[in-house]
Amino acid sequence: MRSRYSAYAIKDSEYIFQTYAMSKQPDNAINDIKEWAEQTTWLTLEILPTDPESTFESAKDNEQQYYYVEFCADYLTNNEVWQMHEYSRFIIEDAQLKYLDGEVKHNKLLRTVTRNDTCPCGSARKYKRCCQK
């Protein structure tokens, strides 16, 4: 999860694509990943403790082992700071953990940033001189 977050932060769309499960890659074109990553500045990631008893409703398949990660991530897009809280599901393919899907618990607007606000990236500079696009 942390490596996917880092890849989004540095806009490495190829890596993000490669970390999708093979069954999900056709639904996630590299150009679409790149376009979204370029519109987004990732600010924070918090990995939350996951209840091992929790599962998705669709995770009833006894033939496949699933791995779960719950996280909250804050990001900046269009002068707004948003928080995404997701419960992600991963599988092992080719001896690597691959992202299968996720259940978004919420994606909420935290605040709107104006040009003279301190930049939410933590630089202590004004937004207009830092991350404003």
Side-chain angles (χ1 to χ4, degrees):
M1 184 65 237
R2 291 181 198 281
S3 70
R4 284 179 55 83
Y5 173 85
S6 296
Y8 273 110
I10 64 171
K11 301 168 186 357
D12 186 350
S13 54
E14 182 68 33
Y15 180 83
I16 296 163
F17 178 79
Q18 293 302 324
T19 59
Y20 271 104
M22 289 173 40
S23 65
K24 299 298 181 175
Q25 287 179 350
D27 299 331
N28 295 281
I30 293 175
N31 288 338
D32 293 341
I33 296 167
K34 183 177 182 176
E35 183 179 316
W36 193 73
E38 288 174 353
Q39 297 172 5
T40 308
T41 301
W42 291 92
L43 304 170
T44 62
L45 172 67
E46 179 184 7
I47 305 293
L48 302 170
T50 304
D51 179 3
E53 299 300 316
S54 297
T55 61
F56 291 126
E57 287 302 314
S58 61
K60 304 291 187 202
D61 181 1
N62 292 329
E63 297 176 21
Q64 179 65 56
Q65 176 69 41
Y66 298 107
Y67 302 89
Y68 299 91
V69 176
E70 185 173 3
F71 71 92
C72 282
D74 293 354
Y75 63 95
L76 174 68
T77 187
N78 299 321
N79 302 325
E80 297 174 332
V81 177
W82 288 82
Q83 181 180 75
M84 179 173 56
H85 182 176
E86 182 176 308
Y87 192 64
S88 301
R89 186 168 62 159
F90 292 81
I91 60 171
I92 300 287
E93 287 182 345
D94 299 325
Q96 295 181 339
L97 206 55
K98 302 286 183 138
Y99 178 79
L100 185 61
D101 54 22
E103 177 185 313
V104 176
K105 294 190 174 216
H106 71 251
N107 194 28
K108 67 181 177 181
L109 176 64
L110 298 179
R111 68 184 176 112
T112 300
V113 184
T114 62
R115 46 187 323 249
N116 288 318
D117 288 344
T118 302
C119 191
C121 77
S123 69
R125 298 184 349 212
K126 287 190 176 191
Y127 179 55
K128 66 183 176 187
R129 302 216 184 272
C130 194
C131 292
Q132 186 178 29
K133 295 179 182 175

